[in-house]
Amino acid sequence: MNPVKKQEEYFGTETNKIRFLSNLIEFFGNKDIQVISASGDADYLIVSTALEIAASTLEPVILVGNDTDLQCMLVERCNYNNLYVQLDTGNPAKIFKVQDAQANVTENQRSVLNVVHCLSGCDTSSTVFGKQKGSTWNVLKEMKSNEIEKLKVFCNDSASHTQIKSAGELFLLLWYGCPATSTVDKQRYLMYNKRISKMKLTSTFKLETLPPTLDADAQHSFRAYHTVQQCLWMSENLNEMWSHVSDM
């Protein structure tokens, strides 16, 4: 049977997405396969479910998936020696123990892995134009202890807007390879001047290749903070003062 629409076109409509998921859940249910539907960040739900199962048994628990976000969240949160990740590509499939991966990061780095995950883009927060999510790991490895401490404010449920804005700006500066003591708007200006001086008069400059403005980064940081707090407290009703909608 030939499809009526292309996949991208079909799933471009929210109604079609909901209908497809409903049918898929019903199909698996009829096969006695348990299905959990995510209303928020799906990665967080997957990790939380794996951790709950690992805590309830001494048998090995294997999470199947290639998503680096899942691996990042597991490395930060896992305290069990029976949890494994299976990469679903390759023959034979590769399986690694989460605790073995934890040995490759310091406790300080591990404490902000979820913060970096949310700042660099996840199911409920956007990423920065032209920046690869994987590059944030290199940023984290090079961060100084005092810089990591500043990022930990995202885990503080009583953090102020000013603190979140400042920590988010620090991470963005480091992600773009800029001095931590500078400002985002200053670096935008310097990058613009440097690039425009090398362009031909007929060339078109793409503003989106510059770092976000300080105000745009602040909104992104607030949204990331909101996501981190939801992950920490497992709350679906976290005060919306931290979402990007009411901070606009």
Side-chain angles (χ1 to χ4, degrees), residues 14-163:
E14 190 66 24
T15 303
N16 290 342
K17 288 182 181 178
I18 295 174
R19 183 186 299 118
F20 174 80
L21 289 174
S22 178
N23 291 336
L24 191 62
I25 291 172
E26 181 180 356
F27 174 82
F28 283 128
N30 292 335
K31 301 292 184 180
D32 294 326
I33 300 174
Q34 183 182 6
V35 178
I36 303 175
S37 179
S39 59
D41 190 321
D43 289 342
Y44 171 72
L45 179 60
I46 292 169
V47 169
S48 297
T49 303
L51 291 173
E52 288 175 8
I53 297 173
S56 66
T57 180
L58 296 177
E59 297 295 321
V61 176
I62 301 177
L63 189 154
V64 180
N66 290 330
D67 196 331
T68 54
D69 293 346
L70 297 176
Q71 298 166 27
C72 171
M73 295 172 75
L74 280 173
V75 168
E76 180 188 32
R77 302 185 59 203
C78 181
N79 293 314
Y80 311 107
N81 62 7
N82 61 333
L83 189 52
Y84 298 79
V85 173
Q86 176 181 319
L87 305 180
D88 59 5
T89 58
N91 188 14
K94 297 180 181 179
I95 299 178
F96 69 86
K97 191 174 184 178
V98 175
Q99 284 195 339
D100 290 341
Q102 290 174 333
N104 294 319
V105 296
T106 66
E107 284 297 322
N108 217 18
Q109 292 169 340
R110 181 181 168 188
S111 66
V112 293
L113 277 175
N114 194 41
V115 175
V116 172
H117 161 70
C118 293
L119 282 172
S120 57
C122 61
D123 285 354
T124 53
S125 65
S126 58
T127 189
V128 176
F129 179 85
K131 302 298 288 183
Q132 295 296 320
K133 188 175 179 69
S135 63
T136 57
W137 171 239
N138 293 326
V139 174
L140 181 57
K141 286 195 297 184
E142 297 299 323
M143 288 182 72
K144 300 175 182 177
S145 296
N146 64 309
E147 294 168 343
I148 293 179
E149 286 299 320
K150 191 168 185 178
L151 271 192
K152 289 181 182 180
V153 75
F154 280 85
C155 303
N156 181 353
D157 62 357
S158 60
S160 67
H161 284 76
T162 300
Q163 290 174 314

Side-chain angles (χ1 to χ4, degrees), residues 218-230:
Q219 297 302 323
H220 176 69
S221 297
F222 296 154
R223 182 59 188 174
Y225 176 82
H226 186 264
T227 302
V228 170
Q229 290 299 309
Q230 281 187 318

Side-chain angles (χ1 to χ4, degrees), residues 188-197 205 207 210:
R188 276 176 58 87
Y189 173 75
L190 294 175
M191 288 183 187
Y192 176 79
N193 279 346
K194 182 177 180 180
R195 294 179 188 178
I196 204 73
S197 65
F205 186 84
L207 287 174
L210 294 174

